[in-house]
Amino acid sequence: LRNKLIKHLIKKKIEAKIIYKKLLPQNKILKSKTRTELEMANIVRDKLVSIPSHPNLSDIEVEKISKEIRNFMSWISIFYLQQKMERI
């Protein structure tokens, strides 16, 4: 789902990417220094999408980003609802 959202935003000329591919404890150099698994951080990391968020975004840009995320989520909701209906 995350990759589909990223592709959708990029297609609409909105920068979107994955920033945290690895947590610090997963880094070979730091692995021996850490004593935690960070289970929740791993779950969240696998769902995060980085979108433009800086003070110079215009209201129009913010609205465009928001609109495209809403459009994508609406499409996904309809898609999953149709799949569910087909199983009945």
Side-chain angles (χ1 to χ4, degrees), residues 12-28:
K12 298 294 181 176
K13 302 198 181 332
I14 297 170
E15 182 181 14
K17 58 188 168 185
I18 299 168
I19 290 183
Y20 300 109
K21 294 180 182 177
K22 286 185 177 182
L23 298 175
L24 289 177
Q26 295 167 328
N27 184 311
K28 288 180 184 179

Side-chain angles (χ1 to χ4, degrees), residues 2-3 10 15 19-20 28 30 33 35 37-38 46-47 49 52 54 56-57 63 66 68 70 75:
R2 172 176 69 171
N3 291 338
I10 290 171
E15 182 181 14
I19 290 183
Y20 300 109
K28 288 180 184 179
L30 299 174
K33 307 282 186 213
R35 297 181 187 151
E37 293 298 317
L38 301 173
D46 293 341
K47 297 180 185 312
V49 174
H54 55 81
N56 296 327
L57 281 176
E63 185 55 40
S66 302
E68 289 306 331
R70 284 192 307 270
W75 178 83

Side-chain angles (χ1 to χ4, degrees), residues 48-87:
L48 286 176
V49 174
S50 177
I51 58 174
S53 60
H54 55 81
N56 296 327
L57 281 176
S58 69
D59 289 346
I60 292 169
E61 291 169 317
V62 171
E63 185 55 40
K64 178 183 178 183
I65 295 164
S66 302
K67 177 185 158 204
E68 289 306 331
I69 292 172
R70 284 192 307 270
N71 287 346
F72 176 81
M73 296 309 291
S74 295
W75 178 83
I76 288 296
S77 297
I78 292 168
F79 175 76
Y80 282 112
L81 182 62
Q82 286 174 341
Q83 282 189 334
K84 197 173 194 178
M85 295 299 286
E86 288 174 2
R87 286 188 225 143

Side-chain angles (χ1 to χ4, degrees), residues 27-42:
N27 184 311
K28 288 180 184 179
I29 296 170
L30 299 174
K31 194 168 192 150
S32 64
K33 307 282 186 213
T34 58
R35 297 181 187 151
T36 181
E37 293 298 317
L38 301 173
E39 292 175 36
M40 188 55 67
N42 279 312

